[in-house]
Amino acid sequence: MITLLSGGTGTPKLLQGFMQLLPQREIAVVVNTAEDVWLPHGHLSPDVDTVVYTLAELINEETWYGIQGDTFATHEQLLRLGFEEFMNIGDLDRATHIVRGELLRRGLTLEEATRRISRALGVQARVLPMTNGEVRSVIRTDLGEMNLHEFLIKHGSAPEVLEVKLVGEARPCEGCISALEEAEFVVIGPSNPVTSIMPILSLEGVREVLADRRESVVAVSPLVGGKPVSGPADKFLRAVGIEPTPRGIAEFYADVAGHFVIDLRDEQFSVGGVKVHRTGIIMKTREDKRRLAEFIMGIFAGGRR
Ligand code: GDP
């Protein structure tokens, strides 16, 4: 079994690589929930949805949220009725939020609700929302405080990011720690280190568990050729004082990941105690994804736990 730490774009692409190499039962994914919100129709857990849809082979790969081929009749009708829904939520995607909201209202934990939704969609991998509690990312900008949806969608990633705060304290989900302890190796995927991975690392005990086994933890750079492959990760990195380069990220992860993978177009560097590996890390095609997953498996071949 292997375990990935994931947000909602970079790591799901890599997950598609591992899905070509391993049966889903051998994969667990601990997913960021710091962007979860209640909406009038239900509960949105954007990264969990993306990971579940990826595993169910339903994900819309143009946007990395929502379901491929979805329709937007409800969204359009809401706008016609004068209801301001700034997220473009598809009809099928909305059904997931309705079900999750109902399950949570009935008292199930997010972990249990995710298990039910995953099973209903035929997913066999273990999808573990990072916590059943509440931890939220709050972004302080020159236009005031906002959540990531507001920053990305309402404001088109334009505001200056002054600070990123994690609000709330929570324990990791029930299955999370064992998934991190028992995996042959752990992959910190190429997700945004600040808004996707930091919330997971902030949970009680997570850093310690990874630090104890850091020789079998690998992180993949979300930056290639000096900039993020997509999205505003560099703005967030600067705001929390991490140098927005592969080296800066390798240093940030050094206490939890003994291996770091960078792209061939970035220069080799050394950070104390971290083995830096180079390969192609841009994942456009099915092949790219499989090759990167194979490369990562190769790092741990022989020394498997
Ligand atoms: P979010 O939850 O939608 O913000 O998505 P993530 O945090 O999971 O991923 C966002 C990060 O993925 C960005 O910083 C991108 O640079 C990175 N990313 C996207 N596509 C790729 C890719 O093909 N390769 C690598 N290495 N990183 C990628």
Side-chain angles (χ1 to χ4, degrees):
M1 200 262 295
I2 66 163
T3 298
L4 290 90
L5 267 53
S6 184
T9 306
T11 309
K13 292 184 189 176
L14 180 56
L15 176 59
Q16 288 180 323
F18 283 109
M19 286 163 64
Q20 296 174 57
L21 303 175
L22 297 170
Q24 285 206 7
R25 289 188 185 287
E26 306 247 331
I27 301 174
V29 192
V30 176
V31 190
N32 171 44
T33 61
E35 288 146 41
D36 289 16
V37 279
W38 279 94
L39 295 171
H41 66 271
H43 189 267
L44 171 66
S45 188
D47 292 352
V48 170
D49 284 343
T50 291
V51 168
V52 169
Y53 297 157
T54 299
L55 289 159
E57 302 198 16
L58 293 172
I59 187 69
N60 177 344
E61 293 184 25
E62 315 236 300
T63 52
W64 286 96
Y65 64 81
I67 292 179
Q68 52 184 267
D70 210 345
T71 52
F72 293 87
T74 309
H75 177 70
E76 283 155 18
Q77 184 68 0
L78 287 168
L79 298 185
R80 233 172 265 133
L81 291 168
F83 179 79
E84 195 193 327
E85 183 174 69
F86 71 88
M87 282 185 250
N88 202 12
I89 296 170
D91 298 318
L92 300 179
D93 192 20
R94 193 180 302 273
T96 306
H97 310 159
I98 293 172
V99 169
R100 180 184 297 111
E102 253 331 278
L103 294 173
L104 294 176
R105 275 195 212 99
R106 281 188 217 159
L108 269 71
T109 62
L110 182 60
E111 196 170 358
E112 290 162 342
T114 304
R115 203 175 303 136
R116 286 223 197 161
I117 292 167
S118 299
R119 208 179 297 142
L121 293 176
V123 169
Q124 296 198 325
R126 244 192 293 164
V127 182
L128 299 162
M130 67 179 198
T131 179
N132 291 311
E134 290 227 354
V135 174
R136 297 285 171 263
S137 290
V138 175
I139 302 162
R140 192 164 66 80
T141 75
D142 52 339
L143 300 180
E145 291 195 344
M146 57 186 77
N147 67 27
L148 193 66
H149 306 289
E150 292 164 324
F151 178 84
L152 294 174
I153 305 167
K154 233 185 212 172
H155 298 282
S157 303
E160 200 181 325
V161 181
L162 304 172
E163 190 186 357
V164 183
K165 292 185 280 195
L166 275 174
V167 178
E169 253 178 66
R171 275 207 291 269
C173 82
E174 281 183 26
C176 285
I177 293 291
S178 59
L180 295 175
E181 280 174 344
E182 289 160 20
E184 281 175 34
F185 58 87
V186 176
V187 182
I188 300 178
S191 281
N192 186 324
V194 182
T195 54
S196 295
I197 304 299
M198 240 162 60
I200 304 176
L201 297 180
S202 79
L203 300 169
E204 215 177 287
V206 170
R207 270 189 177 275
E208 290 74 8
V209 168
L210 293 176
D212 275 353
R213 59 166 306 173
R214 64 183 287 289
E215 289 306 323
S216 54
V217 179
V218 59
V220 181
S221 175
L223 305 181
V224 172
K227 54 180 196 319
V229 179
S230 61
D234 43 352
K235 272 191 174 184
F236 290 98
L237 288 164
R238 259 184 235 112
V240 300
I242 301 172
E243 180 189 297
T245 61
R247 175 200 292 275
I249 298 177
E251 280 169 354
F252 171 63
Y253 287 145
D255 62 330
V256 289
H259 298 267
F260 193 72
V261 183
I262 63 170
D263 195 73
L264 292 171
R265 70 195 79 173
D266 288 302
E267 273 173 37
Q268 185 79 33
F269 57 83
S270 65
V271 165
V274 180
K275 297 182 188 74
V276 179
H277 309 262
R278 281 168 86 227
T279 189
I281 63 167
I282 292 201
M283 296 169 282
K284 287 205 173 113
T285 63
R286 236 178 101 73
E287 268 293 283
D288 297 338
K289 294 165 186 169
R290 187 178 52 75
R291 262 200 306 262
L292 181 52
E294 259 167 8
F295 182 87
I296 291 171
M297 301 221 4
I299 294 176
F300 299 110
R304 294 256 178 110
R305 285 162 60 120

